[in-house]
Amino acid sequence: MRLGSHLAEGLRPVIDLVYPPRCPLCGDAIAAQGGLCVDCWGDLEVPGDPSCKTCQRPMGSAAAAKSQTCYECATAPPLHSGIIAASIYNDASRKLILSYKHGGKIALAPLLGQLMASRIPLASGEQLPLLVPVPLHRWRLWRRGFNQAAMLARDIAKRGKGELIVDALIRRKQTPSLGGLGGDERKKALSGAIAIRPSRGEQVVGRDVILVDDVLTSGATSDACVTALLDAGAQSVQIACFARVVDGQGMGSSGRNRIQKSETPEAVTAPGAT
């Protein structure tokens, strides 16, 4: 155990005394920092079977799951090589994301990162996959103060699930909020916005990559990132996210699926969402 770990362990009783451990969702007392209470753990929906082997979209029945691939992935194969989601987007995961991403509670990163890392299988080859976070434009990074995807990727790397390249992708132009835009408009807004950083290009060639983000909804931003990575020579690109929005969720009072209205569900209620 390193000196930093020894120090953290030694200070833990003091921290717990000053800041008693509380569940970040409901505020109830819990045994240790960085977790959830039993009830709130139960509120998180973890992707299960039957589900699409490619995108983890829940399948409606065992009969529908016989093909192992959902209709969307079968008829329009995605650019990515699969989605690894720690949870299905619901009220509990939404509250965690909003607190972390827009509430400034960056101490939630280890919890979210741990849940994501637990879903990523151990590398079968000699090389770990590259962990590449979805980039923020420098002005948005300046306003927010941190890149939420980069912090998650860093925690996943600490858990031995990949090799972090935090700046492999760059966002070359500031894109507008994707809320309210249709598919073609999103593609136009993101056209040429995301690219490989020239100094990192050689490191991506021939490597398996895991693209890391907090929430995956319509996939416009992730598609732009995947395209940039594949064009740079990546062998494959999977997408790892904390919350995966699936069809029929995020339905607003207008009756339209929120996935069709914004790139991330929280963009409706929180400014500056990517």
Side-chain angles (χ1 to χ4, degrees), residues 77-146:
L79 296 171
H80 60 74
S81 298
I83 295 172
I84 306 167
S87 68
I88 298 297
Y89 185 84
N90 62 9
D91 288 342
S93 59
R94 177 179 182 273
K95 187 173 181 180
L96 283 172
I97 289 295
L98 285 176
S99 296
Y100 169 57
K101 186 174 180 178
H102 299 291
K105 296 183 178 179
I106 59 175
L108 287 172
L111 170 62
L112 306 187
Q114 178 184 8
L115 293 174
M116 293 171 67
S118 69
R119 302 282 295 179
I120 298 173
L122 292 172
S124 56
E126 294 183 1
Q127 279 187 318
L128 291 173
L130 298 179
L131 294 169
V132 175
V134 171
L136 290 181
H137 188 268
R138 61 182 180 275
W139 290 116
R140 183 161 291 172
L141 180 61
W142 180 79
R143 289 196 301 268
R144 186 173 296 167
F146 66 100

Side-chain angles (χ1 to χ4, degrees), residues 115-184:
L115 293 174
M116 293 171 67
S118 69
R119 302 282 295 179
I120 298 173
L122 292 172
S124 56
E126 294 183 1
Q127 279 187 318
L128 291 173
L130 298 179
L131 294 169
V132 175
V134 171
L136 290 181
H137 188 268
R138 61 182 180 275
W139 290 116
R140 183 161 291 172
L141 180 61
W142 180 79
R143 289 196 301 268
R144 186 173 296 167
F146 66 100
N147 180 342
Q148 72 280 355
M151 292 188 69
L152 294 175
R154 184 175 291 111
D155 193 81
I156 294 169
K158 288 180 180 178
R159 300 176 192 278
K161 292 301 180 74
E163 175 188 340
L164 177 65
I165 302 185
V166 73
D167 59 349
L169 291 172
I170 55 174
R171 197 177 286 247
R172 297 190 293 194
K173 66 179 183 179
Q174 189 170 13
T175 53
S177 172
L178 300 182
L181 300 183
D184 291 340

